[in-house]
Amino acid sequence: MPATVIVGLQWGDEGKGKTTDFLAEQVAMVVRYQGGDNAGHTVVTGDEVFKLHLVPSGVLYPHITSVIGNGVVVNPATLIAELDMLTARGIDVSKVKVSRSAHVIMPYHVALDRGNEARLGEARVGTTGRGIGPAYGDRAWRIGLRMEDLLDRAVLTDRISRVLPDKNLLLGAMGLAAMTVDALVDQCLAWGRRLEGYLDDSTWLVQAALARGEHVLLEGAQGTLLDLDHGSYPFVTSSNPVAGGACTGGGIGPLQVDEVMGVMKAYATRVGSGPFPTELRDEIGAGIAARGHEVGTTTGRPRRVGWFDAMPLRYAVAVNSISSIMLNKLDILSGIPTIRLGVAYDVGGRRVEHWPSSASAIADATPVYEDFPGWDAPIHDVRSLADLPENARRYVTALEELAGVPIVLVSVGPERTQTIERAWRPMRHRGGMARS
Ligand code: IMP
């Protein structure tokens, strides 16, 4: 399976880092295709915990080329800090490649993101404050800077001189300090000097790997319900985490994708504002949050927690053409007497089984639940589905039936080895999945 896309089926934080890490041995290249340092991937290997924001988690394997694709927005300061952290911990970063075309998150993007959120008050999106929206906005407006521009003083001076007066007007209106062209150009050149050796033409890197028949993993950040087009706008991020984003942001065509693996948790979480029909505001939710360490990797904010919701799942399976699923954090539900599973919505007395496209319709939705008896026994050491407590197996089967796609990996703990792997033969979505 030369090209596999890994995509989040919920609101991000599904544990995609563990999925990538689990598959890494068979993979030659891991490509991040969208987002920026708003993301956080936590990878646990033995006693070591790595928290990565920009560099794909494949970097922990010496045989893997880790690519930051053209669809990513890069804060060079974060990238340099991450490369330094990895190097200090003995990880070889010489195979990290950054697209020359990836856009740069500038200091004014970060300031404007935070200033705008403050201005929105109660209506804020709850962004990570990393400048993601303003950077993608400038990209769409064709006034952004790309990574290759960091190498050229004349280009930097010209571009920054053109945009900065408008940025400073906005910063001033938000009560924030103005920035100067000279300081920004100097900062950019320093970043460029430091990162020059990592810059590459990522599209051709990916295409060459595929031509050699190597297995390329395209790793999405955030999740389907935070997608700019498919999420509950405006409570979304500013890029396309869906599998289609892997094509535009990774430099491959749709027919080059062999498998789209969806990643989901056994319950739901969401960070930031926006509708979340199955949200739990009681001690069951607090218990799940505590056991699942549901705190944002990037912001340290507590994540909102809720029961698993099949509405967004069905939608995510459809818009991503999901061909297999990894289910994470099943172990966190151990000990809960009754596990609820959202199977439909009640909207004004009407049963709805489709994820509504409008955020206001979702806000009015009351979940319809199916209840499942829980299980008490810890499941960290279970390595086959047959050895799970019967009630856990029933819950997994119900999720699989709702998705209509095989759950091929089930995570029962943070370690790479704490994973149940079912025998499966990956195939293109159109052919369906065969399980042996
Ligand atoms: P932004 O991506 O920082 O602009 O934030 C937009 C929305 O996406 C906010 O609700 C954030 O909390 C959410 N978000 C961004 N990145 C992540 C992530 O990696 N995990 C979960 N939520 C995220």
Side-chain angles (χ1 to χ4, degrees):
M1 45 175 173
T4 302
V5 177
I6 303 283
V7 56
L9 298 180
Q10 296 162 307
W11 286 274
D13 308 315
E14 299 91 350
K16 296 178 290 293
K18 169 157 178 175
T19 313
T20 304
D21 188 60
F22 185 81
L23 297 176
E25 245 146 48
Q26 340 148 13
V27 165
M29 182 177 279
V30 177
V31 185
R32 253 295 288 279
Y33 58 82
Q34 45 69 234
D37 59 346
N38 50 350
H41 287 174
T42 304
V43 183
V44 181
T45 55
D47 295 339
E48 298 242 55
V49 180
F50 289 91
K51 289 185 187 295
L52 301 168
H53 299 285
L54 267 174
V55 178
S57 29
V59 73
L60 302 178
Y61 287 84
H63 69 278
I64 291 182
T65 302
S66 294
V67 179
I68 294 176
N70 59 279
V72 176
V73 283
V74 178
N75 183 329
T78 308
L79 178 58
I80 291 166
E82 209 157 276
L83 293 169
D84 287 348
M85 178 274 290
L86 287 164
T87 306
R89 293 179 67 178
I91 306 292
D92 175 16
V93 296
S94 62
K95 290 172 106 173
V96 172
K97 306 287 174 196
V98 183
S99 168
R100 299 176 71 90
S101 322
H103 274 248
V104 180
I105 299 180
M106 294 290 285
Y108 46 77
H109 293 138
V110 177
L112 290 172
D113 187 9
R114 294 177 185 178
N116 192 49
E117 284 282 284
R119 208 162 53 158
L120 283 170
E122 285 298 297
R124 67 184 171 275
V125 174
T127 72
T128 59
R130 296 295 192 270
I132 306 296
Y136 277 118
D138 278 3
R139 183 178 83 155
W141 214 9
R142 299 172 301 261
I143 55 169
L145 288 163
R146 309 209 295 183
M147 289 303 286
E148 63 185 1
D149 298 332
L150 297 180
L151 308 176
D152 190 325
R153 179 181 286 278
V155 169
L156 284 169
T157 308
D158 179 54
R159 297 270 181 78
I160 295 174
S161 305
R162 285 173 201 271
V163 301
L164 201 59
D166 289 353
K167 303 297 177 197
N168 278 339
L169 269 180
L170 266 175
L171 289 170
M174 292 176 186
L176 299 170
M179 299 186 184
T180 67
V181 175
D182 287 349
L184 287 170
V185 169
D186 287 347
Q187 175 65 85
C188 286
L189 286 170
W191 284 334
R193 279 193 296 276
R194 184 62 220 284
L195 293 173
E196 186 170 8
Y198 297 96
L199 300 189
D200 215 318
D201 186 331
S202 61
T203 300
W204 283 118
L205 276 178
V206 175
Q207 290 293 337
L210 290 174
R212 289 192 297 271
E214 291 175 359
H215 188 179
V216 174
L217 213 126
L218 295 116
E219 182 182 60
Q222 292 87 43
T224 303
L225 279 304
L226 287 176
D227 186 275
L228 183 57
D229 289 271
H230 292 287
S232 43
Y233 190 92
F235 302 106
V236 293
T237 191
S238 301
S239 65
N240 290 111
V242 294
C247 295
T248 52
I252 62 167
L255 295 182
Q256 289 181 298
V257 177
D258 294 86
E259 184 179 13
V260 184
M261 180 178 277
V263 184
M264 63 192 198
K265 279 193 290 214
Y267 51 93
T269 60
R270 176 164 201 167
V271 200
S273 319
F276 187 7
T278 60
E279 184 166 9
L280 281 164
R281 299 169 198 270
D282 57 12
E283 67 277 13
I284 296 181
I288 294 174
R291 286 194 303 281
H293 304 292
E294 295 298 350
V295 175
T297 314
T298 301
T299 56
R301 287 182 293 182
R303 295 177 185 145
R304 299 156 69 193
V305 171
W307 297 119
F308 191 95
D309 189 346
M311 280 336 89
L313 169 65
R314 287 195 196 101
Y315 186 71
V317 166
V319 298
N320 292 299
S321 64
I322 295 297
S323 50
S324 60
I325 289 178
M326 176 165 191
L327 174 66
N328 278 328
K329 290 193 161 176
L330 184 63
D331 54 302
I332 304 301
L333 297 185
S334 297
I336 299 177
T338 302
I339 295 168
R340 313 202 81 185
L341 176 51
V343 292
Y345 292 149
D346 182 315
V347 181
R350 211 162 40 88
R351 184 181 166 101
V352 175
E353 293 196 353
H354 287 288
W355 176 250
S357 60
S358 98
S360 58
I362 302 165
D364 294 339
T366 309
V368 178
Y369 289 111
E370 216 171 277
D371 287 347
F372 288 78
W375 60 92
D376 279 328
I379 56 173
H380 290 118
D381 297 328
V382 174
R383 294 292 176 271
S384 92
L385 223 52
D387 293 337
L388 278 176
E390 193 188 341
N391 287 347
R393 225 170 35 238
R394 266 200 218 141
Y395 182 65
V396 174
T397 305
L399 291 177
E400 189 171 61
E401 279 167 7
L402 286 165
V405 172
I407 293 176
V408 297
L409 297 168
V410 180
S411 169
V412 290
E415 292 279 343
R416 195 179 287 166
T417 51
Q418 291 176 312
T419 308
I420 297 171
E421 191 174 4
R422 292 166 90 184
W424 97 99
R425 187 158 49 88
M427 288 173 68
R428 274 185 194 275
H429 178 72
R430 277 164 298 168
M433 290 286 295
R435 226 185 306 142
S436 48

